Amino acid sequence: MRKKVLLTTLVAVMLVAATLALAEPLQAPAAGQAAPAGGGANQAPPAIRQIKPGFYVVTGIGGNTSVRVTNDGVAIVDTKNLGEQNYNALMAQIRSVTQQPVKFAYITHVHQDHSGNTASFKAAGTQVIAHEGLAESLKTYTSAAGKPDVPSVTYAKDHVVRLGNVAVEAHHYAAGHTGGDTIVYFPDVKVVAAGDEVVGPQAPNCDYPNGGSMLGLVRSLNEIQKLDFDTLIPGHGNPMTRDEFLQYKTKVELFVERSITVARRNVNRAQMFYEIAQTDLGFNITMPDARLASFYNEMRAEAQRLRALPDGQ
């Protein structure tokens, strides 16, 4: 009798586990993209969290989605992993805090864990906005989950929309994580949504095949610092204070400085990361060959440029 009870319990547990596995959307990182910061956080079910009055973040099923709610509609940043189930799950979270329509959706970069549901938002009447570099990357972009749709609107440098008295600013400062990065700034609540240009405290991740640049990332972080904000939403992970962002920025700058110093010594490409001190930064950066070659060449070119500058420049 005891064996029969144990067997019945075991079968029930297995059935529950199988049901949960089927309910979880299938996801995969974008081609050429490292696993998202936070590891399993990308696989977690969606959840919404209020950060400030009228401002929320939806975590899970992809990168963070910022949600700015106003009396004149909603603006969001990033649309989760590609798939109708993920789109519906995201919308369910948004609908739990507002019935206002989503009028604008900004996409921070091409990877499908951020850009995945462009088509669904467009079909629902949302204007989807991204940098022109994202649209260019989509021409060759591939991922196991499929290819996201093109945005409704592209911009070159800056783009602003308004929801009543609330402004939403988008800026492309430089190629950083990818060549089509967008930083979204909500000045009235002093919040920045940075996409994967900021993934602190994890190591920075530049997708060179999709136009990324470590030097460009530093330039972009410098421009973000100039914004008047007290809270930053990274591409993955928890919201950051301004001080936490500045600490992350300093670490990225130190990593790049050390990389250039190593490049000056003509260290060969295969040896490069063994020569760059990272432990004190909390980084452990490695790269597949396609990225490593581009990173190596970028650091070498910058070392040569600096060597050629006159003293004092």
Side-chain angles (χ1 to χ4, degrees):
M1 181 66 180
R2 184 179 177 185
K3 288 182 179 180
K4 184 176 181 180
V5 171
L6 288 173
L7 180 60
T8 302
T9 302
L10 179 60
V11 169
V13 169
M14 291 174 67
L15 286 171
V16 170
T19 301
L20 289 173
L22 288 171
E24 184 65 30
L26 295 175
Q27 297 137 8
Q33 184 184 12
N42 200 43
Q43 303 290 333
I48 194 163
R49 171 186 173 189
Q50 182 172 336
I51 305 302
K52 291 188 174 185
F55 191 93
Y56 304 81
V57 173
V58 181
T59 57
I61 56 171
N64 288 330
T65 298
S66 296
V67 181
R68 180 68 176 99
V69 177
T70 79
N71 292 331
D72 297 281
V74 177
I76 70 169
V77 182
D78 286 339
T79 65
K80 303 297 186 188
N81 284 307
L82 194 154
E84 195 67 17
Q85 184 176 355
N86 292 328
Y87 168 75
N88 291 336
L90 171 58
M91 286 305 302
Q93 294 300 315
I94 295 172
R95 290 286 168 260
S96 73
V97 298
T98 182
Q99 294 302 308
Q100 289 286 343
V102 179
K103 292 188 176 180
F104 304 104
Y106 280 99
I107 309 297
T108 59
H109 62 282
V110 71
H111 297 146
Q112 69 86 32
D113 60 326
H114 295 259
S115 65
N117 294 298
T118 294
S120 294
F121 277 99
K122 286 169 61 177
T126 300
Q127 187 178 106
V128 180
I129 305 161
H131 184 257
E132 58 192 19
L134 179 149
E136 186 64 26
S137 291
L138 277 173
K139 294 176 181 178
T140 55
Y141 178 80
T142 60
S143 79
K147 180 181 287 192
D149 197 9
V150 295
S152 316
V153 174
T154 59
Y155 73 98
K157 185 173 174 55
D158 304 294
H159 189 280
V160 180
V161 300
R162 300 195 72 87
L163 292 165
N165 294 324
V166 174
V168 184
E169 302 178 8
H171 303 286
H172 174 77
Y173 294 127
H177 177 57
T178 70
D181 291 351
T182 289
I183 302 298
V184 183
Y185 176 45
F186 301 88
D188 69 313
V189 290
K190 296 188 176 183
V191 176
V192 171
D196 283 357
E197 283 201 358
V198 180
V199 290
Q202 286 80 17
N205 172 18
C206 288
D207 183 352
Y208 281 93
N210 278 301
S213 162
M214 196 69 78
L215 295 177
L217 179 60
V218 171
R219 291 196 298 274
S220 189
L221 296 180
N222 283 329
E223 293 300 317
I224 293 172
Q225 182 180 350
K226 297 175 184 178
L227 298 173
D228 180 17
F229 71 94
D230 55 33
T231 304
L232 183 142
I233 310 302
H236 300 265
N238 294 321
M240 301 168 70
T241 65
R242 184 178 183 88
D243 284 345
E244 288 171 334
F245 163 75
L246 293 175
Q247 291 168 17
Y248 173 76
K249 173 178 171 290
T250 297
K251 290 180 180 181
V252 175
E253 290 170 337
L254 284 170
F255 173 78
V256 171
E257 288 173 10
R258 292 172 185 179
S259 301
I260 294 168
T261 299
V262 169
R264 282 196 183 112
R265 302 204 313 262
N266 292 320
V267 171
N268 69 57
R269 190 170 74 193
Q271 237 355 75
M272 192 164 191
F273 283 115
Y274 293 103
E275 300 290 329
I276 302 169
Q278 299 187 55
T279 304
D280 63 317
L281 306 178
F283 295 170
N284 183 24
I285 299 177
T286 58
M287 293 183 183
D289 287 344
R291 293 191 189 189
L292 177 57
S294 298
F295 171 74
Y296 179 79
N297 291 337
E298 184 179 32
M299 296 300 106
R300 290 267 296 167
E302 183 65 3
Q304 291 166 1
R305 185 188 72 83
L306 292 173
R307 190 180 295 122
L309 286 176
D311 290 343
Q313 292 192 29

